[in-house]
């Protein structure tokens, strides 16, 4: 069965799926095979249905359930070439939650609570550019273009884009390179000279949230939400924000309209036009 997982991993690489997605899909496919104790090639829709029924009886989020289905769908549609096995899948809707947006005081307190300089600079870069955690961890020194004032990054699916490089951030990054001496070509490296691990960065962020007394539950992605909301409230066009964040659909960017308290306060209210 090891050969099958190798094929699936190769197919995921050809599809340019993110490393995290690759791990999740492979894990889900292996769990399915272990559940039945048989090779996926020897099973069909009946076994897949039994596995789906088993998953529905477990306690898991809609997001995790969809990941299991996506892993099996990729296995049978792409690697095994048997799409009819998973043709019955009905994808559960995921309740859309409002993004967590931090105010500048919360961000400042959070950054001050990060004990390690490299991670503090990593999070500071994220809030100044809107980069995702994996994008920030994989930044290279050559991705900085001071002459044009931009940072080149590679996002989901290998899509390239540029984000602004503010002068204040550039000055801080240059100081970071002098003091932390990251190992080229990476901008943020750990003790072994490798780029920072996103999962470890998330743990550092969680510890900083607790140390700073942040009441709300937040992840590093909140820094990206904070960046987008700040641009929106400063008057930036939605299309510009969409390009900076790397959203393929404007609908993803429009989501920030629902969390901008400044825009809400500016909106007229019918009660204001009524007599007391």
């Amino acid at each position: 069965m090891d050969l099958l997982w190798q094929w699936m991993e190769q197919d995921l690489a050809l599809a340019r799926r993110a490393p995290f997605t690759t791990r999740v899909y492979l894990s889900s496919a292996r769990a399915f095979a272990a559940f039945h104790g048989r090779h996926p090639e020897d099973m069909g829709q009946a076994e897949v249905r039994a596995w789906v029924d088993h998953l529905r009886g477990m306690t898991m989020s809609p997001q995790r359930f969809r990941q299991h289905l996506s892993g099996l769908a990729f296995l049978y549609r792409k690697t095994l070439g048997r799409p009819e096995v998973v043709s019955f899948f009905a994808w559960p809707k995921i309740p859309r939650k409002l993004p967590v947006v931090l105010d500048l005081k919360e961000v400042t307190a959070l950054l001050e609570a990060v004990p390690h300089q490299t991670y503090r600079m990593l999070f500071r870069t994220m809030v100044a550019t809107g980069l995702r955690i994996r994008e920030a961890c994989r930044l290279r020194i050559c991705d900085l273009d001071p002459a044009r004032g931009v940072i080149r990054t590679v996002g989901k699916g290998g899509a390239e884009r540029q984000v602004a490089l503010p002068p204040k951030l550039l000055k801080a990054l240059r100081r970071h390179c002098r003091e932390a001496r990251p190992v080229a070509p990476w901008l943020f490296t750990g003790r072994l000279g490798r780029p920072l691990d996103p999962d470890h960065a998330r743990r550092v962020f969680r510890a900083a949230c607790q140390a700073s007394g942040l009441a709300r539950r937040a992840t590093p992605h909140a820094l990206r939400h904070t960046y987008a909301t700040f641009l929106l409230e400063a008057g930036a066009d939605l299309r510009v924000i969409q390009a900076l964040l790397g959203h393929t659909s404007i609908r993803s960017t429009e989501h920030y309209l629902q969390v901008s308290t400044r825009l809400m306060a500016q909106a007229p209210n019918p009660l204001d036009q009524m007599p007391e």
Side-chain angles (χ1 to χ4, degrees):
M1 202 179 298
D2 289 343
L3 183 59
L4 174 64
W5 307 137
Q6 292 178 16
W7 287 348
M8 185 176 176
E9 189 170 4
Q10 291 172 1
D11 293 339
L12 285 163
L14 285 173
R16 305 194 73 172
R17 298 300 174 91
F20 175 78
T21 302
T22 298
R23 291 198 302 270
V24 169
Y25 282 16
L26 283 170
S27 174
S28 298
R30 288 190 176 107
F32 164 68
F35 176 76
H36 288 290
R38 296 168 58 189
H39 196 289
E41 200 167 19
D42 299 330
M43 294 187 280
Q45 194 171 111
E47 289 79 10
V48 173
R49 284 185 178 276
W51 172 242
V52 172
D53 287 340
H54 170 72
L55 292 175
R56 290 175 61 187
M58 299 175 64
T59 302
M60 66 176 66
S61 66
Q63 292 91 336
R64 184 66 185 112
F65 186 59
R66 283 181 67 102
Q67 288 173 347
H68 276 293
L69 296 185
S70 298
L72 276 187
F74 192 94
L75 171 65
Y76 278 100
R77 288 175 181 169
K78 302 296 184 181
T79 303
L80 293 178
R82 296 170 58 195
E84 73 282 355
V85 174
V86 293
S87 60
F88 70 94
F89 278 0
W91 303 94
K93 290 185 178 180
I94 298 177
R96 192 155 194 178
K97 298 181 180 180
L98 292 177
V100 175
V101 177
L102 307 178
D103 61 42
L104 297 185
K105 289 183 178 180
E106 289 175 321
V107 174
T108 301
L110 195 152
L111 293 178
E112 290 177 349
V114 179
H116 198 284
Q117 173 190 343
T118 298
Y119 284 98
R120 187 163 56 249
M121 193 65 239
L122 173 76
F123 299 139
R124 188 175 181 184
T125 300
M126 289 178 63
V127 79
T129 59
L131 292 176
R132 300 179 179 91
I133 183 69
R134 292 184 178 276
E135 295 169 347
C137 286
R138 301 289 295 185
L139 276 180
R140 300 171 301 174
I141 297 175
C142 63
D143 291 331
L144 307 182
D145 189 345
R148 298 177 59 234
V150 296
I151 299 176
R152 173 188 170 277
T153 184
V154 180
K156 289 183 177 180
E160 296 184 0
R161 74 179 191 282
Q162 294 182 143
V163 297
L165 174 59
K168 191 173 182 179
L169 176 63
L170 175 61
K171 183 178 179 180
L173 286 173
R174 282 173 169 166
R175 185 170 62 250
H176 160 74
C177 289
R178 289 194 303 268
E179 297 176 357
R181 297 186 177 276
V183 179
W186 310 110
L187 185 57
F188 303 111
T189 56
R191 287 180 298 178
L192 299 179
R194 298 173 183 170
L196 297 182
D197 176 51
D199 291 333
H200 185 69
R202 291 187 183 94
R203 291 192 290 270
V204 172
F205 187 89
R206 185 164 58 247
C209 287
Q210 295 174 351
S212 65
L214 185 66
R216 291 175 291 166
R217 186 176 182 180
T219 67
H221 213 65
L223 301 178
R224 177 173 165 88
H225 297 324
T226 301
Y227 167 79
T229 306
F230 179 83
L231 290 183
L232 184 64
E233 293 182 340
D237 186 84
L238 273 177
R239 293 288 180 182
V240 174
I241 301 175
Q242 177 189 4
L244 290 172
L245 295 179
H247 286 162
T248 55
S249 171
I250 191 66
R251 294 181 62 184
S252 299
T253 315
E254 289 173 345
H255 203 44
Y256 294 108
L257 290 169
Q258 302 179 42
V259 295
S260 173
T261 55
R262 187 175 302 174
L263 293 182
M264 290 179 190
Q266 294 173 355
N269 190 284
L271 195 62
D272 295 335
Q273 306 300 322
M274 297 171 62
E276 291 292 339

